[in-house]
C-alpha cells in the first residue's frame, strides 16, 4: 500500500513536470533544477546525516537532529538561496523562480522531519496521502496558469502543514515542531550525525552533480530539458524509495525495541526491484513519444537521455535497498561505502568527458555508476551464499552428546 500510494505521488510529480515542459516552462524547470541541485549540497553540508539519523536514531539523536534542522539548517538554506539566486540570475535564470525553488526545498526539508515521525510510527499510508494531496494541489494550480515554481512552493507549504497535523496526533505523538528546541542540542547533532555525514554527501553528489556540471557548460534551455527528465527520474526513484522505507523502519524499530518484533522479509525489496524494472522498460520503449509528443521538448536527443536514465532505475533501486537496510541495522559504515563508491564512479565518468560534456554523457555516467555498483553487490551476495553453503556441507563430525546440546544455527538471510 505504501508503494502504491508513493507510485501515485511519483506519477503526479512526473505529470507536473511533463505539463510544465509541454507548456514551454523550460526556464522555470531550469531554475528549479539548478536551485534544488545546489541547495541539496548546501543542506547536506549543514545537516550532515541528520535526516536519516532522525528516522533511525534514538530519542536523544532525534531531539538533536530536530533542533539542528530548525535553528541551523533553515537559516543556512535561506541564506544560500539568496546567494545562489544572485549567482544564477545573471546567467539567464529567473530570480523569482530561483527563490521560489529555494522555498520549496526549505519547506520540504522541514516536512521531512514529520515524514520521519510517520515512518517511525509505521504510518506510511498517511505520509503518502499527504504527499499525494499536495501534489494534486500543485497540479491544479499549474493547470490554472500558476508558474511551476510558485505552484510547487504552495504545495510544499501545504505538505508541511499536513504532515505536522498528522504526526502530532495520537498518544505517542511528538511535540509540535517549534517546541523543544535547543542550541546546545543542535550543536550536539553534528557529532551524532557524523557516521552518516559522508553517506549524505555521497547521496547528494550522486543525485545532483550531473545537473550542476551541465549547468556550467550548457544553455538554460538545454539544462531545462535535461532537468525535466532528471526530475522525472528522481520522482520514479522516490517511488521505489518509499517502498524500501518499510523494511528500514522495521529494522530500526527492532534495533531500538520499539513495540512488538516484526519479521523482516524480502517481499518489499523484491517488489520494488521488479516494479522499477517494469517502469524502466516502459519508459525506454515509450521515450520518443514521452519526450516529443507528451513533453514537447525541443531537442530530439532528449529521448536518448530519458532512456539512459530509465536504464539506471532498477540498479538504483537495488543499491538503495542495500543502503537503507544497513542504515536500519545501524551499520552506517557499509551504507557510506556504497554511497561514496557510486559518487566516485559518477564523478570520474563526468571528469573523463569534461571537455565534451553534454546531456547524453551526463545521463550515461549516472547509469554506468549505478550498474557497476549494483553488479558488485550481486556478485558479493552470490559469493557469500556460495561460501555459506559450502561451510554447511563441510562440517566436522560431532559426538552424540554434542549433537544433543548443539545450538541451532542462526539464519543470516535478510540481515
Amino acid at each position: 500500500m505504501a508503494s502504491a500510494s508513493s507510485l501515485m505521488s511519483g506519477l503526479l510529480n512526473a505529470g507536473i513536470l511533463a505539463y510544465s515542459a509541454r507548456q514551454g516552462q523550460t526556464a522555470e524547470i531550469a531554475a528549479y533544477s539548478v536551485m534544488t541541485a545546489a541547495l541539496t549540497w548546501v543542506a547536506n553540508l549543514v545537516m550532515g546525516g541528520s535526516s536519516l539519523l532522525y528516522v533511525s536514531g534514538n530519542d536523544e539523536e532525534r531531539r538533536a537532529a530536530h533542533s539542528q534542522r530548525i535553528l541551523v539548517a533553515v537559516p543556512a538554506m535561506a541564506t544560500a538561496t539568496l546567494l545562489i539566486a544572485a549567482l544564477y540570475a545573471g546567467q539567464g535564470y529567473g530570480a523569482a523562480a530561483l527563490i521560489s525553488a529555494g522555498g520549496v526545498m526549505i519547506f520540504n526539508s522541514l516536512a521531512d522531519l514529520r515524514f520521519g515521525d510517520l515512518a517511525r510510527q509505521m504510518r506510511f499510508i498517511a505520509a503518502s496521502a499527504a504527499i499525494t494531496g499536495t501534489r494534486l494541489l500543485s497540479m491544479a494550480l499549474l493547470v490554472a496558469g500558476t508558474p511551476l515554481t510558485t505552484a510547487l512552493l504552495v504545495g510544499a507549504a501545504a505538505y508541511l502543514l499536513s504532515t505536522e497535523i498528522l504526526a502530532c496526533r495520537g498518544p505517542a505523538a511528538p511535540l509540535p515542531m517549534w517546541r523543544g528546541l535547543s542550541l546546545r542540542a543542535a550543536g550536539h547533532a553534528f557529532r551524532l550525525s557524523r557516521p552518516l555525514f559522508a553517506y549524505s554527501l555521497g547521496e547528494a553528489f550522486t543525485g545532483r552533480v550531473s545537473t550542476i556540471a551541465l549547468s556550467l557548460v550548457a544553455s538554460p534551455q538545454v539544462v531545462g530539458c535535461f532537468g525535466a527528465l532528471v526530475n522525472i527520474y528522481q520522482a520514479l526513484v522516490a517511488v521505489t524509495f518509499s517502498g524500501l522505507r518499510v523494511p528500514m523502519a522495521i529494522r530500526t524499530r527492532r534495533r531500538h525495541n520499539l513495540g512488538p518484533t516484526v519479521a523482516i522479509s524480502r517481499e518489499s525489496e523484491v517488489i520494488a526491484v521488479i516494479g522499477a524494472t517494469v517502469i524502466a522498460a516502459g519508459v525506454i520503449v515509450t521515450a520518443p513519444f514521452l519526450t516529443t509528443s507528451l513533453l514537447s521538448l525541443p531537442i530530439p536527443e532528449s529521448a536518448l537521455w530519458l532512456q539512459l536514465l530509465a536504464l539506471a532505475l532498477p540498479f538504483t533501486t537495488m543499491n538503495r535497498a542495500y543502503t537503507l537496510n544497513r542504515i536500519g541495522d545501524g551499520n552506517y559504515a557499509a551504507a557510506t561505502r556504497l554511497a561514496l563508491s557510486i559518487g566516485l564512479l559518477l564523478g570520474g565518468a563526468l571528469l573523463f568527458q569534461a571537455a565534451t560534456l553534454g546531456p547524453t554523457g551526463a545521463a550515461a555516467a549516472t547509469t554506468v555508476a549505478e550498474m557497476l555498483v549494483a553488479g558488485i553487490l550481486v556478485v558479493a551476495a552470490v559469493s557469500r551464499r556460495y561460501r555459506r553453503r559450502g561451510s554447511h556441507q563441510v562440517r566436522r563430525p560431532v559426538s552424540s552428546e554434542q549433537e544433543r546440546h548443539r545450538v541451532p544455527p542462526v539464519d543470516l538471510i535478510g540481515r
Side-chain angles (χ1 to χ4, degrees):
M1 288 297 293
S3 297
S5 300
S6 181
L7 175 61
M8 178 61 68
S9 172
L11 291 175
L12 284 170
N13 195 37
I16 289 171
L17 293 167
Y19 185 84
S20 300
R22 188 173 180 83
Q23 295 299 310
Q25 295 193 41
T26 52
E28 286 277 317
I29 297 173
Y32 176 74
S33 301
V34 167
M35 178 58 75
T36 54
L39 209 55
T40 296
W41 284 18
V42 173
N44 278 277
L45 285 171
V46 175
M47 294 184 296
S50 63
S51 294
L52 288 168
L53 187 70
Y54 190 81
V55 178
S56 62
N58 56 33
D59 290 339
E60 178 192 2
E61 293 168 332
R62 285 163 56 78
R63 285 193 297 269
H66 175 222
S67 294
Q68 182 196 45
R69 182 69 56 90
I70 304 294
L71 300 177
V72 179
V74 169
M77 292 174 69
T79 303
T81 295
L82 297 177
L83 294 176
I84 295 168
L87 176 64
Y88 276 95
Q91 301 182 26
Y93 296 84
L98 289 166
I99 293 174
S100 295
V104 173
M105 288 289 292
I106 293 172
F107 284 145
N108 283 337
S109 177
L110 291 173
D112 187 53
L113 291 177
R114 289 314 184 207
F115 192 97
D117 290 321
L118 294 171
R120 292 268 291 203
Q121 299 166 12
M122 301 293 288
R123 296 170 60 190
F124 294 101
I125 304 301
S128 298
I131 299 176
T132 303
T134 53
R135 290 287 188 273
L136 285 171
L137 174 61
S138 296
M139 175 63 85
L141 291 172
L142 192 64
V143 172
T146 307
L148 171 66
T149 53
T150 304
L152 292 177
L153 180 62
V154 175
Y159 178 44
L160 173 59
L161 179 61
S162 60
T163 52
E164 176 74 14
I165 293 173
L166 287 170
C168 292
R169 296 180 59 185
L175 294 173
M177 189 172 294
W178 59 88
R179 294 180 58 185
L181 301 177
S182 166
L183 281 173
R184 182 177 180 180
H188 192 44
F190 288 96
R191 183 181 66 82
L192 293 175
S193 63
R194 191 180 305 157
L196 284 167
F197 181 74
Y199 169 81
S200 298
L201 286 183
E203 281 284 290
F205 183 88
T206 300
R208 305 298 180 180
V209 67
S210 298
T211 304
I212 291 293
L214 193 63
S215 71
L216 300 177
V217 298
S219 67
Q221 183 187 40
V222 173
V223 175
C225 294
F226 183 75
L229 302 181
V230 169
N231 279 284
I232 290 173
Y233 165 71
Q234 294 287 354
L236 296 177
V237 171
V239 172
T240 60
F241 184 86
S242 294
L244 295 173
R245 279 180 178 264
V246 177
M248 183 188 74
I250 294 174
R251 291 170 183 269
T252 299
R253 291 174 65 86
R254 184 181 66 174
R255 179 159 56 92
H256 293 299
N257 297 318
L258 300 174
T261 302
V262 180
I264 300 175
S265 68
R266 295 287 187 179
E267 182 179 352
S268 296
E269 299 163 25
V270 172
I271 291 175
V273 173
I274 292 176
T277 303
V278 172
I279 293 172
V283 172
I284 290 173
V285 172
T286 60
F289 165 78
L290 294 175
T291 55
T292 56
S293 299
L294 184 61
L295 301 179
S296 299
L297 296 180
I299 303 176
E301 292 82 3
S302 58
L304 177 59
W305 309 344
L306 182 58
Q307 288 172 332
L308 289 171
L309 291 171
L311 183 61
L313 185 60
F315 305 101
T316 302
T317 303
M318 293 174 60
N319 294 332
R320 298 308 179 272
Y322 176 86
T323 56
L324 291 180
N325 283 346
R326 300 290 77 77
I327 290 171
D329 290 335
N331 188 356
Y332 301 145
T336 298
R337 285 195 298 269
L338 185 135
L340 292 180
S341 297
I342 298 174
L344 288 173
L345 287 171
L346 176 56
L350 291 173
L351 286 175
F352 180 75
Q353 52 181 331
T356 58
L357 180 63
T360 302
T366 299
T367 303
V368 170
E370 297 285 358
M371 288 178 65
L372 287 175
V373 174
I376 293 172
L377 287 179
V378 170
V379 171
V382 171
S383 177
R384 283 195 303 269
R385 184 179 292 271
Y386 178 80
R387 290 197 304 269
R388 191 182 304 135
R389 186 173 298 173
S391 65
H392 287 325
Q393 292 175 353
V394 182
R395 295 180 178 175
R396 292 180 299 175
V398 296
S399 65
S400 59
E401 184 69 18
Q402 289 175 320
E403 183 68 27
R404 282 196 302 269
H405 297 287
R406 185 174 61 182
V407 178
V410 178
D411 185 9
L412 297 178
I413 297 178
R415 290 193 171 187

